[in-house]
Amino acid sequence: GAHELQAWFTHRALIEFAGRAGWIVSTSLVHKDDSLLVEDGEVRHGVTDPDNPPTKYEDLRGVVVYAWPKGDKASKVSRYVPKATIDARRAVSDSARGGFSPWNTWPIEMAEKTAIKYAVARGLFPVDDSAVYDADAGEPQPGPFVETRAAQEQAHRAHQPGQPAGAVAHEGIADP
């Protein structure tokens, strides 16, 4: 039958994919006292004090995600993600609940991560990973490993007592 593949990538993986597509990505924290001129989500003018970055979540006004093609910083694009948008995502995040929460331990870093994922979802920069394929041969090359749920379930069954032993085939872009 048909298999469904769902993948969740960390913000670091998205930055890596952007790099493979020829883009550089960075973020800038916006302090509640900083001023910005934002039009359609893009920062047109900003005054941020690099000596006064927000160190507490309550001092955060938002995060600016910047991206530009390698070697062409003049083509830099940006997306401002206000704290209210970050808070809305935090409110529905499973990782924001419970005893240990990265949102409680590292709120600024989680805000940056959320802003990067928000910017990717809105197409600020490409995360194309076609570099793992050889253009001439069309064959997978070493790259990130992707495992389907079916392969995970097969691996789980293979390690159950009383089940026949056997090799587990992994479906993916490349072998681990």
Side-chain angles (χ1 to χ4, degrees):
H3 296 284
E4 179 180 306
L5 173 66
Q6 289 185 332
W8 289 273
F9 295 106
T10 66
H11 66 292
R12 289 185 185 108
L14 295 173
I15 291 171
E16 173 68 23
F17 291 155
R20 291 179 186 186
W23 285 72
I24 296 172
V25 177
S26 71
T27 60
S28 180
L29 300 171
V30 181
H31 193 277
K32 66 181 180 182
D33 296 331
D34 291 343
S35 65
L36 291 175
L37 174 59
V38 179
E39 294 175 359
D40 297 324
E42 183 151 346
V43 178
R44 301 292 181 205
H45 176 73
V47 178
T48 58
D49 182 356
D51 296 325
N52 189 29
T55 56
K56 297 178 187 171
Y57 191 73
E58 50 273 1
D59 292 337
L60 183 70
R61 178 176 176 186
V63 178
V64 180
V65 180
Y66 296 100
W68 62 93
K70 290 179 182 176
D72 186 12
K73 199 166 187 176
S75 296
K76 183 190 291 189
V77 292
S78 64
R79 173 63 63 172
Y80 173 64
V81 184
K83 185 178 178 185
T85 300
I86 294 167
D87 285 341
R89 280 149 181 75
R90 178 183 184 174
V92 297
S93 170
D94 289 337
S95 66
R97 297 181 194 97
F100 172 79
S101 166
W103 279 102
N104 294 332
T105 308
W106 303 290
I108 298 292
E109 292 80 358
M110 292 298 288
E112 285 182 296
K113 171 210 62 104
T114 301
I116 290 168
K117 287 187 166 191
Y118 181 88
V120 167
R122 275 131 194 96
L124 181 66
F125 55 90
V127 290
D128 178 30
D129 197 23
S130 60
V132 299
Y133 290 95
D134 178 48
D136 295 330
E139 293 294 322
Q141 300 299 311
F145 176 71
V146 178
E147 184 177 62
T148 65
R149 181 173 293 161
Q152 291 172 346
E153 290 171 357
Q154 183 180 2
H156 179 73
R157 284 191 306 271
H159 293 95
Q160 294 294 319
Q163 295 291 327
V168 177
H170 295 282
E171 301 171 24
I173 294 176
D175 290 331

